């Protein structure tokens, strides 16, 4: 992942402005309490693991031209994190019981850095281990989210002298982080899916509707309640296979899709990130293994997302996995499919999959659309419906 120089400047300046706030608060605290030693007691212990992690990350990633600036971004992230962690520790936990201090260091220092060190090596299979997820990864997610939520509360901690009130106030972002992680780990049942009804034909004239049909948002109890002039599509996007989206959880999603028996299944990218574990192709094949026993595999299509292209090895593994599974991965390509429903006339659809391109994306999207215009239908008058897969929703305005 090569980060543009301009983006690095913006990240640096923005981070510098944000970092000024806790330092000013610490300066105020030191002025009011002569015994306060921020540097010695809080900042250095937080920066030590930061330095170890940064050096490890540099050694792992600096040799890869595809992750040329990744270690620089992570270095900035961990410095930012270390300063805020030490600030919150100084303001909130400096006068609390030893047990709470120990818990803070485990949650906000140990788990966070250990998690990042393990994730920085793509060869590890740590997400497979339940004890790792619950003892290291999930606490580190809670810790980082809490730090982000606490940024705006840092000035309030400075002007509140009562340690108990400070601790109670700190519980607010901590509770939000725990609740957010709990929600993230929940998998919706099919009855709670949000459905878009997109009619294929006009119910009166039986003519195919224009390219941009108006979707109707609804939440029926099952896909069986959709009308016969609608096509049933399930979209799986941004799974980011790892500690949150485990292999078994992904398999359950695929099994649900098979049970609902849609006309089409779209997988629209971001299957992994650059920290993908183990052998991504084998893991992806394991995730999609239920499709190998279902006819839905022949009606499944995929496109790449930005995270799938962060590392060439991951991108190649994803392409290889879809090829092994005989699932069509459309990279600036189209596929024509005839859908046969029992007791209904067949109809054909055009599926267009676009690659993730951030530079000159307008020209890229317009060029692909020109190369693959709407096709004439063999079964109805006019053009067949065209469905486009694009990981970047902001790009649809150029279609």
């Amino acid at each position: 992942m090569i980060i543009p120089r301009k983006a690095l400047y913006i990240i640096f300046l923005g981070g510098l402005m944000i970092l000024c706030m806790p330092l000013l608060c610490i300066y105020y605290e030191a002025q009011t309490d002569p015994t306060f030693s921020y540097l010695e007691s809080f900042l250095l212990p937080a920066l030590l693991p930061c330095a170890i992690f940064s050096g490890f990350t540099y050694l792992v990633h600096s040799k890869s031209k595809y992750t040329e600036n990744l270690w620089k971004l992570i270095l900035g992230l961990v410095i930012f994190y270390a300063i805020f962690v030490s600030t919150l520790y100084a303001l909130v936990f400096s006068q609390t019981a030893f047990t709470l201090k120990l818990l803070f260091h485990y949650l906000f220092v140990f788990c966070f850095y250990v998690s990042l060190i393990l994730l920085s090596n793509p060869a590890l299979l740590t997400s497979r281990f339940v004890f790792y997820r619950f003892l290291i990864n999930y606490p580190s997610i809670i810790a980082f989210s809490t730090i982000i939520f606490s940024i705006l509360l840092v000035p309030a901690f400075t002007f509140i002298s009562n340690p108990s009130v400070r601790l109670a106030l700190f519980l607010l972002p901590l509770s939000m982080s725990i609740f957010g992680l709990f929600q993230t780990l929940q998998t919706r049942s099919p009855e709670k899916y949000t459905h878009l009804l997109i009619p294929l034909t006009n119910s009166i004239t039986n003519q195919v509707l224009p390219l941009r049909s108006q979707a109707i948002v609804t939440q029926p109890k099952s896909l069986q309640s959709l009308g016969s002039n609608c096509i049933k599509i399930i979209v799986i996007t941004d799974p980011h296979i790892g500690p949150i989206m485990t292999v078994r959880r992904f398999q359950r999603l695929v099994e649900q899709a098979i049970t609902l028996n849609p006309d089409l299944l779209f997988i629209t990218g971001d299957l992994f990130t650059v920290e993908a574990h183990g052998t991504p192709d084998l893991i992806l094949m394991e995730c999609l293994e239920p499709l190998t026993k279902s006819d839905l595999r022949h009606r499944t299509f995929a496109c790449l997302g930005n995270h799938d292209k962060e590392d060439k090895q991951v991108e190649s593994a994803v392409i290889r996995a879809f090829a092994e599974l005989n699932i069509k991965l459309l990279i600036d390509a189209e596929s024509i499919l005839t859908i046969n429903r029992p007791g209904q006339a067949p109809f054909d659809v055009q599926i267009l999959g676009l690659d993730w391109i951030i530079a000159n994306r307008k020209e890229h999207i317009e060029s692909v659309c020109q190369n693959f215009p709407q096709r004439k239908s063999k079964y109805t008058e006019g053009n067949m419906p065209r469905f486009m897969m694009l990981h970047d929703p902001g790009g649809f305005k150029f279609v």
Side-chain angles (χ1 to χ4, degrees), residues 39-171:
L39 181 66
E40 208 173 298
S41 304
F42 310 112
L43 184 57
L44 290 182
L47 285 178
L48 180 60
C50 165
I52 296 174
F53 166 74
S54 302
F56 182 87
T57 305
Y58 173 74
L59 292 176
V60 170
H61 290 291
S62 62
K63 297 178 182 178
S64 171
K65 65 180 180 179
Y66 302 110
T67 56
E68 181 179 323
N69 287 316
L70 178 64
W71 75 273
K72 299 177 184 177
L73 182 63
I74 295 179
L75 176 61
L77 168 67
V78 293
I79 291 176
F80 158 82
Y81 181 83
I83 291 179
F84 265 99
V85 163
S86 54
T87 300
L88 287 172
Y89 181 64
L91 295 177
V92 179
F93 289 88
S94 59
Q95 301 179 46
T96 58
F98 174 78
T99 305
L100 284 178
K101 290 182 179 180
L102 192 63
L103 179 62
F104 179 91
H105 276 288
Y106 167 74
L107 186 66
F108 288 88
V109 177
F110 178 78
C111 289
F112 179 76
Y113 287 116
V114 169
S115 179
L116 285 183
I117 286 174
L118 293 175
L119 287 175
S120 66
N121 187 346
L124 294 176
L125 288 167
T126 49
S127 67
R128 293 297 188 100
F129 304 131
V130 174
F131 74 88
Y132 163 75
R133 295 204 304 269
F134 283 92
L135 296 181
I136 301 294
N137 185 258
Y138 294 164
S140 73
I141 293 173
I142 293 172
F144 186 74
S145 301
T146 302
I147 296 300
I148 298 300
F149 288 141
S150 299
I151 289 176
L152 297 178
L153 293 178
V154 168
F157 293 135
T158 307
F159 297 105
I160 298 174
S161 58
N162 190 316
S164 299
V165 176
R166 284 181 173 182
L167 185 60
L169 186 61
F170 180 75
L171 291 177

Side-chain angles (χ1 to χ4, degrees), residues 204-216:
I204 299 177
T205 64
N206 202 35
Q207 296 293 311
V208 175
L209 293 176
L211 177 62
R212 294 179 180 273
S213 298
Q214 182 64 44
I216 306 170

